[in-house]
Amino acid sequence: MYGKMFSACLYGIEGVMIGVEIDLANGLPQTNIIGLPDSAIREAVERVRAAVKNCGYRYPQQRITINLAPADLRKEGSAFDLAIALGILITSGQLIMPSAQEMLLIGELALDGSLRPVSGVLPMVEAARKSGFKAVLLPQGNAAEAALISGMNVYTIDHLQALANAAESVASFGPIIDKLVPLEESEGSLLPFPVSVSMGTGAKEQPPVLVLSVEYLKYNPKYSDSEAASSEANEIMDDYSDVLGQQHVKRALTIAAAGMHNIMLIGPPGTGKTMLIKRLPSILPQLSDSEALEVTKIFSAAGNLKDAHNGLLRSRPFRSPHHTISSAGLIGGGGIPKPGEVSLAHRGILFLDELPEFSRNVLEVLRQPLEDGVVTISRARASFTFPAKFMLAASMNPCSCGFFGSGISQQNCTCSPSRIAQYRAKISGPLLDRIDLQVDVPRPKEWNRQGHVLSSAEMRAEVLAAQAIQAKRYKRLAISWNSELSGASLRKYASLNRESAQILYDILENLGLSMRAHDRIIKLSRTIADLEGAQDISSAHLAEAVQYRNLDRQVLVEE
């Protein structure tokens, strides 16, 4: 006897369709799973065996072979439990589901037959839709996430006992079909195909196989308390009006947000560096539809999609890992690599507080994603590529004691020039070269709220205006921000006149900047011009962009 179901697994952050083939043959009772399964899949044998028995079905006392195709792809996770269980029941004749091969089956089984949600459902369901599937059956806890993919009928089941209960009802009352809830009277929708159920040998009398419409309610999204909590959280979001003074830093942050440029704030302890960066999400625009699907898929694959009832993620991610993070935690890794912090920050912000405290090896792995916008992780069997287009926001003290150049007589710097140089050398030149804005954050001079204080709403209005200009300019290109310009597109959309080009050449020669810094200064100038509503880049825009290359100009002497 042979049967086939369809399930899915994750490969990186993409879903892959997996055929679950069941073969029942005479021989010593045993169950084997083949097709490169991991430990969680091999243990599914015991979970399925217990669930089938505890739900009133009969686990076949035969030689059972379960193949996960394609066989050369390594698989992991517990999402195959439901497909394996239904495959065994259908193949052994205890359950007839004519359209089973047209439905994706996902879910982890508990020993009592209840279903538990799994991670990565969004990319799995998207892969099923691309493969031509129209329906998915999964646990109730994953229904909201699966419903985010349009064109898929989402059905949920909480327990395998639902089928047994239906069979027992028919065995008790006879084939009285009108006892079932008609389609038009049910709260949800019934499965669009017939299901037949027969009980195992545990029943007193073996009932005939009867055709039933088993009541699987179609998922209907409803308002949840999480929506109210989310709206309330938006109302009390931190605002830049809480920050007194620091107008030049707010200007730099506005420029960074308008073009998604990397930024680093440098200053003594307690000057507000962390507070300023943590308010960046309040001035960033919402994710577009395509960006929202990208980001939500990554969070789903990583198991970080906590609440899918509110739809796709719309706020840009803000990730702030601790400085003890490993290289694998930052860029991703594992036997079958999972996305790291740089991918979870895709289309958003990666905040590295106290940058020199991170391991040198950890910081160096940021070079490729900062330049290419992707992370490539190679393993013996395959190579995985994760998206990683993010804005790097970092903060650091000017020296190891933190008070170099603070101008406070009570807190003089105790570091020697060599010690300061050693402290800053923790950040390599190539990495520093990729940070567009390096801004000093001095001790604030305003301690009282006097005059106008720049708010997030005002800064966000400027950012949105600049973004609209960029969206119109790059509508036919595969880029969205000035920071993504390169090569021919940089020369076309951010060209300099003769005077500005000569000024920039002289600056590069005097400061000894690289050609990468040359291109990044031009891209930053383009963003400044967009904030001003200017068509062309002027020498004033160029001069402002250059003065943000703070560490390239700084001399290690106490002022």
Side-chain angles (χ1 to χ4, degrees), residues 341-510:
E341 289 292 333
V342 295
S343 296
L344 292 172
H346 181 61
R347 301 294 183 184
I349 301 168
L350 177 66
F351 176 36
L352 302 183
D353 201 5
E354 301 298 341
L355 190 64
E357 301 303 324
F358 285 79
S359 166
R360 177 71 175 259
N361 294 333
V362 170
L363 293 180
E364 291 308 302
V365 300
L366 288 173
R367 292 192 193 182
Q368 182 199 4
L370 285 175
E371 199 68 30
D372 302 333
V374 295
V375 169
T376 301
I377 302 174
S378 298
R379 292 290 181 264
R381 289 183 172 270
S383 180
F384 300 82
T385 299
F386 300 130
K389 291 184 178 179
F390 59 91
M391 178 205 301
L392 176 63
S395 69
M396 64 174 287
N397 294 328
C399 63
S400 55
C401 79
F403 298 107
F404 175 75
S406 64
I408 306 174
S409 57
Q410 295 88 347
Q411 295 175 328
N412 290 325
C413 177
T414 58
C415 301
S416 64
S418 61
R419 189 177 177 186
I420 297 175
Q422 183 180 13
Y423 177 77
R424 295 188 180 181
K426 293 180 180 180
I427 307 171
S428 67
L431 178 60
L432 193 60
D433 217 23
R434 290 167 167 82
I435 300 178
D436 305 307
L437 297 97
Q438 306 153 13
V439 186
D440 270 333
V441 185
R443 184 170 180 265
K445 297 181 180 179
E446 301 177 25
W447 295 95
N448 297 315
R449 187 176 294 273
Q450 297 177 352
H452 178 68
V453 178
L454 198 61
S455 67
S456 291
E458 295 170 287
M459 296 168 66
R460 191 169 189 270
E462 293 185 61
V463 171
L464 292 177
Q467 185 208 20
I469 294 173
Q470 294 171 74
K472 183 178 180 180
R473 181 189 299 137
Y474 307 132
K475 63 182 178 180
R476 296 183 180 179
L477 301 179
I479 62 175
S480 304
W481 306 92
N482 290 329
S483 58
E484 300 177 81
L485 289 170
S486 63
S489 60
L490 179 63
R491 293 191 297 272
K492 179 178 179 180
Y493 297 107
S495 59
L496 301 178
N497 57 36
R498 185 182 299 272
E499 179 186 359
S500 297
Q502 184 60 46
I503 292 174
L504 181 57
Y505 174 78
D506 293 339
I507 291 172
L508 292 176
E509 289 298 311
N510 291 333

Side-chain angles (χ1 to χ4, degrees), residues 9 16-20 34-36 67-75:
C9 71
V16 179
M17 294 298 297
I18 302 296
V20 181
I34 59 177
L36 295 182
N67 180 44
L68 305 179
D72 61 343
L73 181 69
R74 192 171 295 277
K75 298 124 188 130

Side-chain angles (χ1 to χ4, degrees), residues 102-125:
E102 301 174 8
M103 173 175 277
L104 177 67
L105 304 173
I106 300 174
E108 175 186 335
L109 279 172
L111 298 185
D112 64 347
S114 59
L115 267 79
R116 294 172 177 153
V118 297
S119 61
V121 165
L122 186 66
M124 292 181 196
V125 175

